[in-house]
Every structure is written in C-alpha cells, then in structure tokens.
DNA sequence: AAGGTGACAGGGT
DNA sequence: TACCCTGCCACCT
C-alpha cells in the first residue's frame, strides 16, 4: 500500500475505496460489523475489511469508529491515535460503550443492505 | 517459496 | 455466555 504509483497498488486502491464507500454510508449513531461489509461487497473475508480500515486514516471522512466486530467490541480501538478515541467518538454520537463493547449493539446495528 | 499474521466470523461444545 | 477450532485472503518476512 505504499507505492501508489504502481498499477498493482491501484488495484488495492479500488479495493479500499469500496470498503470506504460503504463505511461512509454508516449513519451517525449507528454501527456495523466487518462481516456485514464483507458480505455486502462479497469480499469473502471479513479480515480484509479490517485490513482496509487499518489504512483508512490516510483518507478523510471514513468513520472507521462505526465498525466493530460481531460481538460489538471495539476491537479496532488500538489503531486510533489514542486507545480511547474510538469510544469517545461513538459516545459523542449517542452510542454507549461499556467495557469496550457497544451497549445494546443489536439496536444500533446498521446493515449495508438497509436504505439510509 | 513457505509460513506467520491480522481492527473477523461461524459452528461446535 | 464463553472458549476453541477452522476458514478466510492479502501482505510481510
């Protein structure tokens, strides 16, 4: 992902962009999972979504904090500038977090299949 | 070239 | 609920 001049890297870029495009559609105050995005994009592996999101900080406007794992845990928190930032951003949107887990996860869950 | 490593998920126990 | 095991796929030794 370093050499963006490289045509091979551009293939990755489109790959990333698809994940980013979905992430950007997550409404404020809602959350979704890596697997839901992977299914929607037919990527075949949820791990790929996390991997793409890990490089999303070079992009603007990608609400990576709204993506959690299937149990509603903030598994990506350690990749933010500070480990508490992910939780703070969610709570600022009205999503309560307790013990690194989203409270009432099913109530806040948003599927990419859903309409906005 | 082969094996290890992820911001994961699903099924079994 | 929680833990364990397996499948997943691109990247990096």
């Amino acid at each position: 992902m370093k050499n963006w001049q490289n045509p091979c890297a551009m293939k990755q870029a489109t790959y990333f962009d698809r994940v980013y495009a979905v992430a950007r559609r997550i409404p404020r105050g809602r959350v979704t999972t890596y697997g839901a995005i992977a299914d929607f994009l037919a990527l075949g592996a949820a791990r790929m979504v996390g991997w793409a999101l890990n490089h999303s900080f070079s992009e603007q406007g990608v609400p990576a904090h709204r993506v959690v794992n299937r149990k509603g845990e903030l598994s990506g928190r350690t990749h933010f500038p500070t480990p508490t930032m992910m939780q703070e951003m969610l709570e600022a949107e009205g999503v309560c977090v307790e013990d690194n887990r989203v409270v009432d996860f099913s109530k806040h869950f948003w599927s990419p299949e859903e309409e906005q």
Side-chain angles (χ1 to χ4, degrees), chain A residues 23-24 26-34 37 53-54 56-57 61-69 72-97 100-102 105 108:
Chain A
R24 276 193 265 255
I26 307 173
R28 237 183 106 79
R30 308 288 299 279
V31 295
T32 191
T33 68
Y34 304 96
I37 296 176
L53 249 29
N54 191 28
S56 70
F57 293 107
V62 181
H65 61 283
R66 295 179 190 151
V67 186
V68 298
N69 72 10
E73 295 169 342
L74 313 192
S75 47
R77 68 187 181 285
T78 57
H79 296 268
F80 283 76
T82 69
T84 54
M85 183 179 285
M86 188 174 184
Q87 169 167 354
E88 287 165 10
M89 292 176 81
L90 284 172
E91 294 189 325
E93 299 181 357
V95 179
C96 296
V97 176
N100 291 323
R101 221 174 303 138
V102 174
F105 174 55
H108 294 286

Side-chain angles (χ1 to χ4, degrees), chain A residues 27 52 63 104:
Chain A
D104 271 332

